[in-house]
Amino acid sequence: MTLGVFPAPIAGELLYGVLARHGFLAGSPNAAEHATELFGRRSAVATFDLPSGLDALAANLPALAGLDGAGLLRHTLFPFYAAFQHEEARSAAALDMRASDASSAHHRLGVAAFRIRAGVALRFCPECMAAQRAVHGFATWMVAHQLPGFPVCAAHGCWLRDSMVTRSSAGRHGYVAPDERNCPTDHTSGPDVEVPRLLLNLAHEADSIANGMLPAQPLSHWRDHYVTRLARVGLMRSSRKVDQSALNEGLAAYWAPTFPHLPAACASFGEQGWAAAMVRSHRKAMHPLLHLMMDGFLTHLEQGGAIPVKAGGIAIGGVGLRLATSGVNPRTGRAPRADWPALDAALASEVAREATVVASLVPPVRVTPAEIERRVRKSGWFGKRRFKLPLATTALAAIEEPLDAFRRRRAAHWVAALGPHCRPWQVMRPAGLRSDQLPMIREVMAARAAASAAR
C-alpha cells in the first residue's frame, strides 16, 4: 500500500527522524499501526542506526519521494560504519538492511565487536534544532549527531547533548520526534569546558564520511596506506618494521587533550593497543574513529607539525625524529636514567587529576585503577614498576570507587536525565542495572524528590 504522504528528508537527516515526522503528519494512532503502514508488518523494529527492511519501506513510498532502498541507506549510519570496510562486507550489510526483516548488519560491519559503543540515547545539538525550526518549521534527528565516539556538533562546534529518547523509552516499534520535553535545552549533558580544536576537526571528518561514501578497499589496503605514510614522516625502524614505541607515544601526546571526552578505548596503546593493530596485518575491521585519529595524527606530521612526547623527551615532526631536550646523550641518543622519586610524585598527582576527570564524565564511568591506569599510561604499566613508584601505586589503589556507590551515582544520573515522572524500570535499563537494584533506584528517586521539594 502506497503511503499518501511522506516528508522529504533534509540533508543529513536520520531515517528514524524522517519516519517520526511521517508518524506525526499521518496521525498514526499507535506504533504497531505506524509500522504496518511503513513496512507492511507490525513487527518492524524501530532502529536508530542500521535499520532493516528498507526495500519494503521504499516500495510503500509515493513516487514523488524519489527514494529507493539505496537512497534510504544514505540516511542511516551505514556510510559511516562501512567507510573503511571491504566491498564484500559492505554489499552483504547493505543487502541485509534492504532485503532482510531482521538485519545482521551490526555483525557484518563489525559494529557488534567494537569497543566503542553507541550511547543509549539519541543526541541533539540545541543550535541545530533552533536553526531547523527557523528554516523548516520542525526539528529532527541528524545522522552526524549519532556517530559513536564523537561528542561534538561539527556545524556549530558545541557539545552534543543526550536526549531523553532511548531504545527503552521509545519502545521497540515507536518513532519519537524531538521536542522541548525530550530535548530540554536547560539539561546540560556536556562538559563545562571549551571544545578542543582537535575534537572539532574529528567531528568535521566524521561528518564528511557519514554523508558520503569512501571507495571500498580491502582491509590490507589500510595497513599499506598507513605504513607508507609512516615511512614518509620517519616513523619506521626499517623498510618493513614500524617504530611502534615512537608511534604510540606520538599518538598519545597528540590526542591527549581529547582523551577526557573520548571513549576509553581511544587511549589504549602499547603492544595490544589499536595503533599497533592498525599497522599490522588487518584481520578485522576497526572503528572509524580510530582510523580518523590515525589519519589526523599523520596529516599533522606530514604538514611539518611536531608533538612533544612526555615519556622520553622526543619530538616527532617533519620527515624524521629530533631530540627535544638537552638531557639526551648526543652520542648514544638515549635519555638519562629516570628520576624515579620525582616521577613518582608527578604520577601520583596525575592519578588524582584523572580520577577527578573520570568521576565527572557523563554518562557516569566507574573510577577504577584499571580505568585510570589506561588514561595515565597503559594497562599493567604501574604493576611492573610498583616498587619504584610507591606513591603513585598507593594513589592508584586508593581511588577505586565502590561498586554500590557507582551504581547509585549512575542511577542518580538517569533519574535526573529522564525527569521526575520516570519509573524505576525506565531508569534500570539505561543505567545498566539489574532488577535486584530496583529498591536502590527507588531510594535515589525518593531522595531526589525530597531535595526538589525542599528547594
Side-chain angles (χ1 to χ4, degrees):
M1 180 184 69
T2 302
L3 300 175
V5 60
F6 192 79
I10 64 175
E13 185 177 8
L14 189 68
L15 180 59
Y16 182 94
V18 182
L19 300 185
R21 291 199 288 123
H22 170 266
F24 174 78
L25 293 173
S28 301
N30 57 60
E33 290 196 21
H34 188 209
T36 304
E37 288 180 42
L38 295 172
F39 298 94
R41 54 192 177 88
R42 296 169 61 90
S43 60
V45 178
T47 306
F48 293 164
D49 53 358
L50 300 174
S52 59
L54 299 185
D55 282 350
L57 171 61
N60 290 333
L61 299 183
L64 290 177
L67 289 170
D68 58 6
L72 293 173
L73 274 178
R74 292 194 292 271
H75 291 276
T76 71
L77 268 64
F78 174 79
F80 173 75
Y81 282 127
F84 300 96
Q85 279 283 6
H86 54 92
E87 183 60 41
E88 183 181 353
R90 279 189 183 184
S91 300
L95 181 62
D96 265 353
M97 292 177 65
R98 293 181 61 175
S100 173
D101 290 344
S103 172
S104 59
H106 291 87
H107 295 279
R108 295 191 182 277
L109 295 175
V111 179
F114 289 152
R115 292 176 60 195
I116 299 172
R117 301 297 180 90
V120 297
L122 285 171
R123 295 186 298 180
F124 70 100
C125 166
E127 296 190 38
C128 283
M129 286 198 168
Q132 289 166 359
R133 290 189 177 101
V135 175
H136 304 292
F138 60 84
T140 188
W141 307 111
M142 303 299 290
V143 170
H145 297 164
Q146 317 310 325
L147 306 181
F150 296 88
V152 174
C153 172
H156 295 101
C158 59
W159 299 106
L160 295 174
R161 303 187 184 188
D162 287 338
S163 74
M164 294 182 182
V165 180
T166 66
R167 289 171 174 82
S168 59
S169 69
R172 185 173 173 80
H173 311 292
Y175 294 91
V176 180
D179 57 32
E180 290 80 2
R181 291 174 299 172
N182 57 40
C183 296
T185 55
D186 58 344
H187 171 56
T188 58
S189 59
D192 189 21
V193 294
E194 185 178 350
V195 174
R197 177 186 57 81
L198 289 174
L199 272 186
L200 186 56
N201 291 346
L202 276 178
H204 282 296
E205 293 299 324
D207 183 64
S208 176
I209 66 171
N211 289 289
M213 182 60 81
L214 295 178
Q217 302 286 356
L219 294 181
S220 59
H221 162 84
W222 295 109
R223 190 265 177 192
D224 298 338
H225 170 74
Y226 292 130
V227 166
T228 299
R229 296 178 68 183
L230 289 168
R232 196 180 301 150
V233 297
L235 285 177
M236 299 289 290
R237 291 186 180 275
S238 67
S239 60
R240 301 180 63 182
K241 185 172 289 188
V242 174
D243 189 340
Q244 294 281 5
S245 177
L247 172 62
N248 280 278
E249 290 178 358
L251 282 165
Y254 181 70
W255 292 108
T258 69
F259 288 151
H261 314 295
L262 293 177
C266 296
S268 175
F269 295 105
E271 291 184 6
Q272 303 302 318
W274 63 266
M278 194 170 282
V279 294
R280 293 178 180 145
S281 296
H282 272 48
R283 295 185 178 87
K284 60 181 182 179
M286 302 194 75
H287 197 280
L289 171 55
L290 303 179
H291 279 282
L292 295 182
M293 290 177 70
M294 178 68 83
D295 178 75
F297 172 66
L298 293 177
T299 299
H300 177 77
L301 297 187
E302 290 165 345
Q303 294 174 350
I307 305 94
V309 180
K310 61 183 178 181
I314 297 176
I316 303 172
V319 294
L321 301 179
R322 58 181 182 274
L323 300 178
T325 66
S326 59
V328 175
N329 187 315
R331 182 176 62 83
T332 64
R334 294 179 179 175
R337 292 181 180 275
D339 182 352
W340 289 106
L343 182 60
D344 189 21
L347 286 173
S349 299
E350 192 170 356
V351 164
R353 286 196 302 272
E354 286 298 324
T356 303
V357 170
V358 172
S360 66
L361 293 178
V362 177
V365 173
R366 188 182 176 197
V367 182
T368 64
E371 177 70 24
I372 303 304
E373 191 174 29
R374 283 194 297 268
R375 290 170 172 268
V376 175
R377 281 295 184 268
K378 60 184 180 181
S379 296
W381 192 88
F382 282 88
K384 296 175 182 177
R385 299 162 179 81
R386 60 187 179 278
F387 298 114
K388 296 178 179 179
L389 303 170
L391 295 178
T393 304
T394 301
L396 192 65
I399 53 87
E400 183 162 14
E401 182 180 17
L403 182 57
D404 288 343
F406 169 65
R407 287 171 173 167
R408 185 173 290 272
R409 185 161 65 88
R410 195 165 176 85
H413 164 76
W414 283 105
V415 168
L418 296 174
H421 302 297
C422 65
R423 298 186 178 182
W425 64 266
Q426 292 175 309
V427 176
M428 180 184 71
R429 292 180 178 178
L433 301 174
R434 301 189 305 269
S435 58
D436 58 357
Q437 271 103 47
L438 284 172
M440 178 271 289
I441 295 174
R442 293 189 183 96
E443 290 178 12
V444 171
M445 296 176 69
R448 181 173 177 81
S452 299
R455 288 198 296 267

